[in-house]
Amino acid sequence: MSDRQFPADSTAPPAAQAASIASPINLILLSLLILLAYYRLRGSPPQSLPKGPAPTVFRTFTPPELKPYNGENSMPVYLAVRGQVFDVSSGRNFYGPGGPYENFAGRDASRGLACNSFDEDMLTKDLNGPLDKLDGLGPDEMEALQGWEERFSEKYIVVGKLVPVSEAPKES
């Protein structure tokens, strides 16, 4: 022990002084702790589900009404197979403008699909006339058409049915 004594009016040595809890570094650390606790404990905003596609209303199409649905001018891509109209917009690369099946967009594609032909000759020329009855197709072609119809039914949504102009519902 040291013989050194401090006078009564002198202060204690620096190490013996009590450190103030309100030092600037402590206040900064306390602020950070409170801020971290706030962000950790506050609720996160509710997650929202992505919006789905607009609902599609099943409707009756005539060949002239179906024609504009060929993927041009931001229109969806529809095509008909054996009287069912399919929305093939998700396959726009195949059925839309510039695709290998673009001739079928907005049209009745039944005969062309049955014959595995993409030619314009396979499409009905007179849009106001009767629908193609698929006369003249053999069993192999009808089987091929059935395979296409099944594939479309599994992959695409049916958005309507195709009827001749003469059977179109009358608007009132």
Side-chain angles (χ1 to χ4, degrees), residues 35-69:
L35 188 65
L36 286 173
Y38 169 75
Y39 282 120
R40 190 76 158 144
L41 297 176
R42 77 177 170 137
S44 60
Q47 293 182 347
S48 61
L49 296 175
K51 292 185 179 183
T56 303
V57 177
F58 187 88
R59 62 177 273 208
T60 302
F61 291 91
T62 62
E65 292 171 340
L66 184 61
K67 184 84 170 124
Y69 292 91

Side-chain angles (χ1 to χ4, degrees), residues 4 72 155:
R4 197 167 146 193
E72 294 177 353
K155 193 170 183 180

Side-chain angles (χ1 to χ4, degrees), residues 6-28:
F6 295 101
D9 61 351
S10 80
T11 60
Q17 291 180 349
S20 170
I21 195 162
S23 70
I25 190 74
N26 285 346
L27 291 176
I28 291 171

Side-chain angles (χ1 to χ4, degrees), residues 34-119:
I34 291 172
L35 188 65
L36 286 173
Y38 169 75
Y39 282 120
R40 190 76 158 144
L41 297 176
R42 77 177 170 137
S44 60
Q47 293 182 347
S48 61
L49 296 175
K51 292 185 179 183
T56 303
V57 177
F58 187 88
R59 62 177 273 208
T60 302
F61 291 91
T62 62
E65 292 171 340
L66 184 61
K67 184 84 170 124
Y69 292 91
N70 59 8
E72 294 177 353
N73 303 321
S74 301
M75 292 291 285
V77 184
Y78 293 174
L79 64 79
V81 178
R82 288 175 54 168
Q84 292 186 83
V85 179
F86 295 93
D87 181 353
V88 295
S89 298
S90 61
R92 184 177 294 271
N93 293 342
F94 294 101
Y95 304 102
Y101 300 95
E102 73 178 322
N103 289 344
F104 298 151
R107 303 292 294 271
D108 182 3
S110 301
R111 184 169 292 273
L113 292 172
C115 297
N116 284 324
S117 174
F118 310 131
D119 296 336

